[in-house]
Amino acid sequence: MREVGGWWAWSGQLELRLLAWPGLSLYPQNLTDAIARAAADTLQGPMQAAYREAFQSVVLPAFEKSCQAMFQQINDSFRLGTQEYLQQLESHMKSRKVREQEAREPVLAQLRGLVSTLQGATEQMAATVSSSVRAEVQHQLHVAVGSLQESILAQVQRIVKGEVSVALKEQQAAVTSSIMQAMRSAAGTPVPAAHLDCQAQQAHILQLLQQGHLNQAFQQALTAADLNLVLYVCETVDPAQVFGQPPCPLSQPVLLSLIQQLASDLGTRTDLKLSYLEEAVMHLDHSDPITRDHMGSVMAQVRQKLFQFLQAEPHNSLSKAARRLSLMLHGLVTPSLP
């Protein structure tokens, strides 16, 4: 009914427009054109409305439905494609992981072997280094201890020798003083003053020797405490002249002092000193109080000097005579030498 009413309304409008068109009755062609134009003008509005209504009620819902279906298909296709891509990617990663693990296993095994070998070599090297260091430390300690022992022993020996030397010198000084005092007290004539020069003393000693006063000549030389003066007397007088006549012209204090001073230095005129020492020792009177009091210390000093001489010159031609004298002294005094 709506369409019929619309048609009639449209027809009436068309008729009115045709009647109002100027010159319509005069020209038939113009009438046709006018009808067409009037029809077009009349139909334009309803056709637009009809098209609009049809587009809104038919085309848009259909297009929307089609778009939804299309988007759903696209979504489904994208989701399926994404799932397939993820599955393929996961499968590829798994296979790649398996391949990498298969390729990594030999390398890991080789690395484990190398680590084990390196660890064994390190332990062996540590043991070797530790053993070497321990041996070197022990060697250095042994050397240091040996050196320290030698140093301590040398210092102790030096100190002991110094103390013994001081003690021997003190004892020798005491013995010498005692012997000199005994010599002075036993002298029949006064001994010349010690301030006389060597030539004057030699002249006086020579005068005494020429007069046959052997004891006084030796006593003056020994009292001067000059070994050169004592040697002058020994060189001037033959030992056979002194010790070849009984009784011995030299008193016991003079013999003890002569033995002590001749033994003080055996490095020079050793043959003369040894010959006088041997004769003087043989003529000591053990029953004499002075000899008995001082013989032990004097013989110990002589043995000490003989030992030093033999140590310093073991190949000397006079070593045999020195050993013989040392053995002779061994029976007279208890040895105190090393």
Side-chain angles (χ1 to χ4, degrees), residues 142-158:
H142 180 72
V143 172
V145 170
S147 177
L148 183 61
Q149 289 178 350
E150 292 179 357
S151 177
I152 293 175
L153 181 60
Q155 291 181 3
V156 170
Q157 288 179 350
R158 185 167 56 253

Side-chain angles (χ1 to χ4, degrees), residues 7 40 70 78 128 165 256 293 332:
W7 169 256
M70 181 183 66
F78 180 77
T128 303
S165 177
L256 288 173
D293 292 341
L332 299 178

